Amino acid sequence: MKPPIGSYAVDTSTGRVGRVMGHEGPYVQLRPYGGGREWDCEPELLREATTHERLWAATAYENRRSRGEVS
């Protein structure tokens, strides 16, 4: 699976939700919800994020932001 840039996907090897930022060589580049350091994922380890997973990631980010853990 090579999801379109801007979509959200789940890295099934880690369970992390990320926004697709690009495709580099054999990898898909993902960035955590709310920003942060990108990571590379093999396309076969990705699946489309559900609405529930996207909301969970957004809520987790807002909670970290409210505690001052992220800017």
Side-chain angles (χ1 to χ4, degrees):
M1 169 186 174
K2 280 211 174 184
I5 293 172
S7 65
Y8 286 89
V10 176
D11 178 343
T12 60
S13 68
T14 62
R16 293 173 68 189
V17 177
R19 185 171 188 182
V20 178
M21 302 306 292
H23 305 103
E24 190 65 38
Y27 299 103
V28 176
Q29 297 174 318
L30 300 170
R31 179 172 288 159
Y33 194 96
R37 188 173 183 177
E38 292 181 6
W39 77 95
D40 293 333
C41 184
E42 296 178 21
E44 59 271 7
L45 297 176
L46 287 177
R47 66 173 174 76
E48 184 178 345
T50 65
T51 301
H52 174 68
E53 290 165 326
R54 289 181 62 185
L55 288 172
W56 178 86
T59 301
Y61 169 74
E62 290 300 326
N63 287 338
R64 288 191 310 273
R65 189 179 64 78
S66 71
R67 292 189 301 262
E69 296 172 6
V70 295
S71 53

